[in-house]
């Protein structure tokens, strides 16, 4: 016999299940016997008080004077025996504890194999249906008259594959959620709920406690607007950090704070300060941050907020206090990652469809089943929101036009059915993107098709649209330009976005546009300057693209307060940009960052090397021309004087002609090679020492941030005499070597951040003289900035030093 015949047959799932069950029973019996043995030994090793007294009374009466000492010795001996017995019991209980843990792990293994067996049984019929679909397609391909039927069969086959995938996913999710052995290891993605406190929501003991009454009293002291703002914290996981910027977006979208420039930020800060003072939220203080940018809620306060939100029908929650996607009882819904098994009625519906695929039934019964079938859009809606019963699905589909807020809390694929997306006519807040403020790996969000985005045309009330961090969106549909009430458009980190709609200027009420981290964006339409109410623009890209929007075009935005610019072309001149920046009427915060495409070093080095090669070639040609002309003149030395003179003059003329031709040739080549470099140097020299004549726009700057500055000398307009309101200056990376200080001028800057500046040179004494109002200094990896009394993190603060 061969070696393969000697191998035992592979074990089935049922065999493995039986083996583990027997092992579990054996361990359980061992645990019971060990407990009995420990109890018996404990009783045997514990002498009674009567026996102790009897042993003490057997002595002679004449020893009565020593009885007290003997009794004391007996008591000490008794305590020692008891302690020894206790130690023995503890040692014997350790194996019991370990055996108990092993029994729990074996229980988990048994249930896992049972789940696998159930998965195998539940997929038997669906796989038979798929096999029948394949056979139908193959048979139709062999018949010419049934070629048209193939397309229909392919669609049916694709739908059946999707249903099988859903069944597999639902079975695995149900197995992982219902498992007690794996429950301690479960963690919701991007929420970190492992190890959190038990849920206090809907616990009578907690609702009657002093803590709940105290938080309820603080909540009732708020006005209606502040209550709604506070309830927004209830949908997030415990201890989740919520960015201040995100709260601003949401509250503006819900119209909870006015959107009137500085008043908006003032109301935002006042509201958050009120919550912090009442200890309803906690600020998250980061290193080297003067003001908090994130906030969080403690688990106890969160449980109270869930109770208040449920009562006010702000959002709907499950018994564990987690937000659900059911919006039948309120006008708001959360898109959450499915952590529970699909609704039983929908699972039965999917199995019924699979089983009925090829069954032969009477026509009347088949017609009745077809009437009970769900449309494709209803199936997609149920797969997305997972309603508990069919009635709620039908009810939600009829009132989807009343939905006001749709928030993606943890969904990875937020694709919405096209039909239902276009019916969201009452939506005000549509937040499909990423909200987490995590420092680690960001949650991946992706859409497979952007066809559903065409439903924007019906969302006349939409105020907030966020697609932050969503992949798979190369362009936005033109229907986006029909959102006449849109205030905030968040496209941050849409890494596949390449262009914006040409008619983006139709968004007349847009006040906030974020294009940061859209690295493939290679064109910005000029109509961007038609956004008359735009106040914040982040991620504006300066490109070489034809007809692309420029800084001069942006200067027409009369309401713009904050601007962030990314330079991706070497043609950008920071000195000439000062003239454009001076035209802005309300600009207060400016950030300019140079990317790889905007660094001129590579281009200059290429031009320099090419010019050197052309110069060497020119010199060789010039030398050969002169030597040939001199040789021709020397051969006629024996001729007459007149002829000699004429020929000498002709030789000189020939040499001069050769020189002139060579000079023209060399000059032309050199000019062609260096024309870009010479023009750039000429512009730089012409701009040196010249400031823009009108600096009204730059004089309003309060904060300036320069990143990867490509030159050693600063911009000509960056002088303290013209920037009197500048209080926050940040320079990170690049080649900058100094700052302009003409005629002993001093800066009004109180916050100065200098990072990764290798060439920047200044000592602490000079810094104090030039920045007399300095309160905060951050000096990080700047080796030529010396003698600064910074801490280990490179930070110096005036109020800390004064203390």
């Amino acid at each position: 016999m061969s070696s393969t015949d000697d191998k035992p047959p592979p074990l089935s799932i049922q065999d493995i299940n039986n083996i583990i069950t027997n092992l579990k029973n054996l361990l359980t019996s061992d645990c019971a016997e060990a407990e009995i043995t420990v109890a018996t030994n404990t009783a045997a090793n514990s002498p009674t008080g009567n026996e102790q007294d009897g042993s003490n009374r057997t002595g002679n009466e004449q020893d009565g004077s020593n009885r007290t000492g003997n009794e004391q010795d007996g008591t000490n001996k008794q305590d020692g025996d008891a302690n020894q017995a206790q130690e023995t019991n503890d040692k014997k209980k350790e194996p019991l504890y370990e055996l108990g843990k092993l029994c729990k792990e074996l229980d988990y293994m048994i249930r896992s194999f049972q789940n696998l067996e159930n998965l195998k049984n539940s997929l038997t019929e669906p796989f038979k249906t798929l096999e029948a679909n394949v056979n139908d397609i193959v048979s139709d391909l062999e018949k010419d008259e049934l070629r048209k039927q193939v397309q229909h069969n392919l669609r049916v086959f694709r739908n059946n594959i999707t249903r099988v995938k859903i069944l597999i996913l639902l079975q695995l999710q149900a197995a992982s959620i219902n498992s007690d052995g794996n429950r301690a290891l479960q963690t919701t993605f991007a929420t970190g709920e492992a190890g959190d406190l038990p849920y206090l929501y809907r616990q009578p003991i907690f609702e009657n406690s002093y803590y709940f009454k105290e938080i309820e009293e603080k909540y009732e002291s708020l006005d209606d607007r502040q209550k709604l703002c506070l309830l927004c914290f209830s949908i997030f996981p415990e201890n989740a950090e919520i960015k201040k910027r995100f709260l601003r977006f949401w509250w503006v979208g819900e119209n909870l704070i006015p959107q009137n420039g500085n008043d908006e930020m003032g109301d935002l800060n006042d509201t958050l300060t009120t919550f912090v003072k009442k200890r309803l939220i906690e600020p998250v203080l980061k290193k080297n941050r003067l003001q908090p940018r994130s906030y969080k809620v403690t688990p106890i306060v969160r449980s109270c907020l869930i109770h208040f939100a449920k009562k006010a029908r702000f959002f709907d929650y499950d018994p564990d206090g987690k937000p659900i996607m059911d919006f039948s009882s309120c006008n708001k819904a959360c898109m959450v990652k499915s952590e529970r098994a699909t609704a039983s009625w929908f699972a039965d519906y999917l199995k019924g469809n699979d089983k009925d695929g090829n069954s032969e039934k009477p026509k009347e019964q088949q017609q009745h089943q077809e009437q009970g079938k769900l449309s494709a859009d209803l199936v997609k809606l149920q797969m997305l929101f997972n309603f508990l019963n069919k009635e709620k699905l039908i009810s939600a589909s009829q009132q989807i036009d009343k939905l006001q807020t749709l928030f993606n809390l943890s969904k990875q694929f937020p694709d919405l059915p096209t039909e239902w997306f276009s019916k969201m006519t009452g939506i005000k807040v549509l937040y499909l993107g990423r909200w987490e403020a995590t420092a680690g790996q960001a949650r991946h969000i992706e859409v497979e098709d952007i066809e559903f985005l065409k439903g924007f045309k019906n969302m006349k009330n939409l105020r907030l649209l966020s697609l932050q961090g969503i992949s798979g969106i190369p362009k936005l549909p033109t229907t986006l330009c029909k959102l006449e009430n849109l205030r905030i458009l968040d496209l941050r980190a849409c890494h596949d976005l390449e262009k914006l709609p040409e008619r983006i200027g139709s968004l007349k009420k847009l006040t906030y546009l974020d294009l940061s981290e859209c690295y493939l964006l290679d064109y910005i339409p000029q109509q961007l300057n038609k956004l008359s109410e735009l106040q914040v623009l982040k991620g504006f890209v300066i490109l070489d693209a034809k007809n692309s929007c420029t800084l001069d075009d942006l200067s027409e935005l009369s309401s713009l307060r904050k601007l962030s610019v990314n330079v991706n072309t070497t043609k950008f001149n920071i000195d000439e940009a000062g003239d454009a920046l001076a035209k802005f009427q309300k600009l207060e915060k400016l950030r300019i960052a140079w990317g790889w495409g905007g660094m001129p070093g590579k281009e200059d080095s290429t031009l320099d090397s090419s010019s050197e090669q052309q110069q060497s070639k020119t010199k060789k040609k010039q030398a050969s021309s002169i030597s040939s002309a001199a040789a021709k003149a020397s051969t006629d030395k024996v001729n007459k004087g007149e002829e000699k003179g004429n020929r000498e003059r002709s030789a000189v003329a020939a040499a001069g002609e050769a020189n002139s031709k060579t000079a023209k040739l060399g000059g032309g080549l050199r000019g062609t090679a260096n024309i870009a470099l010479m023009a750039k140097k000429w512009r730089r020299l012409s701009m040196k020492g010249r400031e823009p004549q009108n600096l009204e726009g730059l004089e309003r700057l309060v904060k300036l941030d320069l990143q990867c500055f490509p030159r050693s000398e600063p911009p000509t307009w960056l002088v303290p005499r013209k920037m009197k309101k500048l209080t926050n200056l940040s320079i990170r990376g690049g080649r900058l070597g100094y700052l302009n200080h003409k005629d002993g001028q001093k800066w009004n800057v109180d916050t100065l951040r200098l990072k990764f500046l290798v060439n920047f040179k200044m000592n602490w004494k000079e810094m104090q003289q030039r920045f007399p109002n300095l309160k905060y200094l951050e000096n990080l990896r700047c080796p030529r900035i010396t003698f600064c009394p910074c801490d280990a993190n490179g930070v110096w603060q005036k109020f800390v030093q004064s203390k």
Side-chain angles (χ1 to χ4, degrees):
M1 296 179 62
S2 61
S3 59
T4 57
D5 297 336
D6 296 338
K7 293 182 179 180
L11 296 177
S12 63
I13 296 178
Q14 186 62 39
D15 296 335
I16 298 175
N17 193 1
N18 294 335
I19 294 174
I20 295 178
T21 304
N22 296 332
L23 183 58
K24 175 196 170 186
N25 295 334
L26 180 62
L27 288 177
T28 305
S29 61
D30 290 344
C31 290
E33 293 178 1
E35 289 180 355
I36 295 174
T37 304
V38 170
T40 304
N41 293 338
T42 304
N45 293 331
S46 300
T48 61
N50 294 331
E51 291 176 352
Q52 294 286 343
D53 296 337
S55 62
N56 291 334
R57 286 196 297 265
T58 58
N60 295 328
E61 295 295 333
Q62 62 184 1
D63 298 331
S65 59
N66 297 329
R67 185 179 301 153
T68 303
N70 293 335
E71 290 177 355
Q72 183 68 30
D73 295 340
T75 303
N76 294 334
K77 182 178 180 181
Q78 180 180 355
D79 294 339
D81 294 340
N83 293 334
Q84 184 177 2
Q86 183 66 30
E87 293 177 358
T88 303
N89 293 338
D90 293 339
K91 292 181 180 179
K92 292 182 178 181
K93 286 182 179 180
E94 291 180 359
L96 294 179
Y97 177 72
E98 295 296 331
L99 289 175
K101 290 175 61 178
L102 291 175
C103 287
K104 291 182 180 180
E105 293 180 1
L106 290 177
D107 283 334
Y108 168 65
M109 295 174 65
I110 291 173
R111 286 193 297 272
S112 299
F113 283 111
Q114 289 175 349
N115 292 329
L116 290 176
E117 185 70 24
N118 296 335
L119 178 62
K120 175 183 176 182
N121 296 333
S122 63
L123 293 178
T124 301
E125 292 297 330
F127 277 121
K128 289 182 180 179
T129 303
L130 293 179
E131 183 179 2
N133 293 145
V134 173
N135 294 332
D136 292 341
I137 294 173
V138 173
S139 61
D140 292 341
L141 287 174
E142 297 176 353
K143 302 176 182 178
D144 296 335
E145 63 275 9
L146 296 178
R147 285 297 180 97
K148 296 182 179 180
Q149 188 68 20
V150 173
Q151 296 295 333
H152 174 72
N153 290 339
L154 286 175
R155 286 195 296 270
V156 174
F157 185 48
R158 189 182 298 108
N159 293 334
N160 289 335
I161 289 178
T162 303
R163 291 173 180 173
V164 173
K165 290 170 63 179
I166 294 173
L167 288 175
I168 295 175
L169 180 61
L170 295 178
Q171 291 286 346
L172 294 177
Q173 289 178 348
S176 62
I177 291 170
N178 298 327
S179 171
D180 294 333
N182 195 32
R183 188 175 298 276
L185 302 178
Q186 290 180 5
T187 304
T188 302
F189 188 85
T191 60
E193 293 181 355
D196 290 337
L197 293 177
Y199 289 110
L200 303 176
Y201 170 63
R202 298 180 65 178
Q203 297 293 331
I205 297 177
F206 172 69
E207 294 179 1
N208 295 325
S209 64
Y210 167 77
Y211 300 102
F212 182 85
K213 299 297 182 183
E214 180 184 5
I215 297 173
E216 185 178 24
E217 183 179 353
K218 294 179 181 179
Y219 172 76
E220 293 297 336
S221 65
L222 303 174
D223 57 34
D224 294 339
R225 183 190 65 83
Q226 292 175 336
K227 287 180 181 179
L228 294 177
C229 291
L230 182 62
L231 293 182
C232 292
F233 289 89
S234 63
I235 69 170
F236 300 103
E238 293 178 2
N239 298 316
E241 295 183 6
I242 301 118
K243 291 184 179 180
K244 182 179 178 180
R245 179 184 61 191
F246 165 75
L247 293 173
R248 174 191 176 187
F249 288 175
W250 193 355
W251 293 352
V252 169
E254 295 278 0
N255 204 17
L256 296 177
I257 56 176
Q259 197 174 20
N260 297 320
N262 295 329
D263 294 338
E264 173 191 328
M265 295 301 299
D267 290 344
L268 175 66
N269 293 327
D270 293 342
T271 303
L272 293 174
T273 302
T274 301
F275 295 162
V276 172
K277 287 182 178 180
K278 292 180 178 292
R279 296 186 178 181
L280 297 172
I281 62 175
E282 296 179 355
V284 180
L285 299 176
K286 298 291 186 178
K287 181 179 66 175
N288 300 341
R289 295 291 185 188
L290 298 179
Q291 299 294 333
R293 295 188 178 181
S294 301
Y295 297 85
K296 65 179 181 179
V297 181
T298 60
I300 293 179
V301 175
R302 178 179 177 271
S303 300
C304 296
L305 294 182
I306 293 174
H307 177 86
F308 303 149
K310 179 75 173 180
K311 184 178 179 180
R313 293 188 176 182
F314 190 72
F315 273 95
D316 203 358
Y317 302 85
D318 64 5
D320 292 332
K322 296 180 180 179
I324 59 178
M325 295 186 285
D326 186 4
F327 57 92
S328 57
S329 61
C330 58
N331 295 328
K332 296 179 174 62
C334 283
M335 302 174 65
V336 296
K337 184 177 63 174
S338 180
E339 295 183 0
R340 63 180 182 182
T342 188
S344 58
W345 72 271
F346 188 58
D348 295 338
Y349 171 80
L350 294 176
K351 292 179 181 178
N353 280 350
D354 288 337
K355 291 179 181 179
D356 297 339
N358 287 320
S359 59
E360 296 181 358
K361 294 184 178 182
K363 292 184 178 179
E364 296 180 357
Q365 188 174 358
Q366 289 183 1
Q367 291 177 357
H368 178 72
Q369 288 181 353
E370 290 178 357
Q371 292 177 357
K373 284 186 176 181
L374 301 175
S375 64
D377 290 323
L378 282 176
V379 171
K380 291 180 181 178
L381 191 66
Q382 173 62 26
M383 291 170 59
L384 183 65
F385 290 96
N386 197 17
F387 296 101
L388 294 178
N389 51 62
K390 187 176 180 180
E391 289 73 17
K392 282 193 173 184
L393 171 63
I394 302 301
S395 176
S397 65
Q398 295 174 354
Q399 62 181 11
I400 196 169
D401 58 329
K402 299 180 182 179
L403 185 64
Q404 296 182 0
T405 300
L406 183 59
F407 183 80
N408 183 8
L409 189 62
S410 57
K411 201 79 172 178
Q412 185 176 1
F413 300 99
D415 300 72
L416 294 169
T418 304
E419 180 179 350
W420 304 118
F421 192 75
S422 60
K423 290 182 179 180
M424 296 181 184
T425 56
I427 194 79
K428 293 182 179 179
V429 176
L430 184 59
Y431 205 101
L432 302 179
R434 187 170 56 235
W435 62 269
E436 294 87 349
T438 55
Q441 184 177 2
R443 173 165 59 107
H444 178 72
I445 307 178
E446 183 178 355
V447 293
E448 297 180 356
D449 189 8
I450 62 173
E451 189 69 20
F452 73 97
L453 295 179
K454 294 182 179 180
F456 285 144
K457 61 182 179 180
N458 298 326
M459 299 181 182
K460 304 298 183 182
N461 298 318
L462 187 63
R463 296 169 57 89
L464 165 61
L465 173 61
S466 175
L467 304 176
Q468 181 180 156
I470 300 181
S471 301
I473 305 180
K475 62 179 181 179
L476 296 173
T478 56
T479 53
L480 175 72
C481 303
K482 297 183 179 181
L483 301 176
E484 54 189 24
N485 284 315
L486 188 65
R487 263 70 172 177
I488 298 175
L489 179 57
D490 182 15
L491 302 176
R492 185 185 185 93
C494 290
H495 300 308
D496 296 329
L497 186 63
E498 298 178 2
K499 61 183 300 184
L500 298 176
E502 286 287 346
R503 299 179 58 188
I504 194 172
S506 302
L507 304 176
K508 298 298 183 182
K509 294 185 179 181
L510 191 67
T511 61
Y512 193 105
L513 176 59
D514 194 350
L515 303 173
S516 304
E517 300 180 34
C518 297
Y519 302 117
L520 296 183
L521 193 63
D522 56 3
Y523 176 74
I524 296 182
Q526 287 184 346
Q527 276 208 3
L528 196 68
N529 63 352
K530 302 298 182 182
L531 303 175
S532 56
E533 297 187 13
L534 190 65
Q535 300 175 12
V536 179
L537 175 58
K538 292 185 177 182
F540 178 76
V541 185
I542 297 180
L543 303 162
D544 285 336
K546 187 177 180 180
N547 298 328
S548 183
C549 191
T550 63
L551 278 180
D552 285 322
D553 298 329
L554 288 184
S555 63
E556 299 180 13
L557 300 176
S558 58
S559 301
L560 193 65
R561 298 183 295 103
K562 187 174 182 179
L563 175 62
S564 173
V565 178
N566 296 328
V567 181
N568 285 336
T569 174
T570 56
K571 296 181 180 179
F572 177 75
N573 189 293
I574 187 64
D575 297 326
E576 295 177 354
D579 295 328
L581 294 173
K583 299 177 183 178
F584 287 87
Q585 300 179 16
K586 295 183 179 181
L587 189 63
E588 297 177 355
K589 298 180 181 180
L590 173 64
R591 184 186 71 87
I592 304 178
W594 280 261
W596 174 251
M599 300 300 290
K602 185 176 180 180
E603 181 181 349
D604 291 349
S605 60
T606 304
L607 291 174
D608 292 341
S609 61
S610 61
S611 61
E612 290 178 359
Q613 294 177 0
Q614 295 295 339
Q615 287 179 4
S616 61
K617 293 180 180 179
T618 303
K619 289 181 180 179
K620 291 180 180 179
K621 292 182 178 180
Q622 182 179 359
S624 61
S625 300
I626 294 176
S627 60
S628 61
K632 183 178 180 181
S634 61
T635 53
D636 297 333
K637 190 181 288 185
V638 295
N639 296 334
K640 297 180 180 178
E642 184 177 356
E643 293 178 358
K644 180 179 180 180
N646 293 333
R647 289 179 180 179
E648 286 179 355
R649 287 191 297 268
S650 64
V652 173
E657 184 179 359
N659 287 336
S660 64
K661 290 182 180 180
T662 306
K664 289 181 181 179
L665 179 61
L669 292 174
R670 193 189 317 174
T672 303
N674 290 338
I675 184 170
L677 180 61
M678 295 299 294
K680 185 181 297 185
K681 289 182 178 180
W682 181 85
R683 286 196 303 268
R684 186 179 300 177
L685 291 175
S686 62
M687 295 293 297
K688 189 174 182 180
R690 186 185 73 85
E691 300 176 3
Q693 296 179 358
N694 182 14
L695 286 178
E696 293 182 1
L698 294 174
E699 288 178 351
R700 298 186 183 93
L701 279 181
V702 177
K703 182 177 180 180
L704 177 62
D705 185 4
L706 301 178
Q707 298 181 14
C708 300
F709 192 76
R711 289 172 14 190
S712 60
E713 63 273 9
T716 56
W717 45 265
L718 186 57
V719 291
R721 181 173 58 86
K722 292 295 184 180
M723 308 191 74
K724 297 180 180 180
K725 293 185 179 181
L726 186 66
T727 59
N728 193 320
L729 177 60
S730 177
I731 304 175
R732 291 179 283 180
R735 305 172 183 175
L736 188 65
Y738 63 93
L739 290 174
N740 287 323
H741 302 89
K742 295 181 179 180
D743 302 329
Q745 300 173 7
K746 297 181 180 181
W747 296 88
N748 293 325
V749 173
D750 56 19
T751 302
L752 180 62
R753 291 181 174 90
L754 304 174
K755 299 180 181 180
F756 311 105
L757 299 176
V758 180
N759 301 324
F760 195 89
K761 187 176 181 180
M762 184 180 293
N763 57 43
W764 176 242
K765 184 177 180 180
E766 294 174 345
M767 190 172 293
Q768 286 182 310
Q769 293 175 352
R770 298 171 182 177
F771 298 91
N773 299 328
L774 192 63
K775 297 179 181 179
Y776 179 89
L777 170 65
E778 191 171 345
N779 175 20
L780 183 61
R781 296 189 182 182
C782 301
R784 297 191 178 187
I785 300 179
T786 56
F787 302 110
C788 293
C790 299
D791 58 13
N793 297 321
V795 175
W796 174 86
Q797 300 185 53
K798 186 175 182 179
F799 64 89
V800 173
Q801 299 295 335
S802 63
K803 289 181 182 180

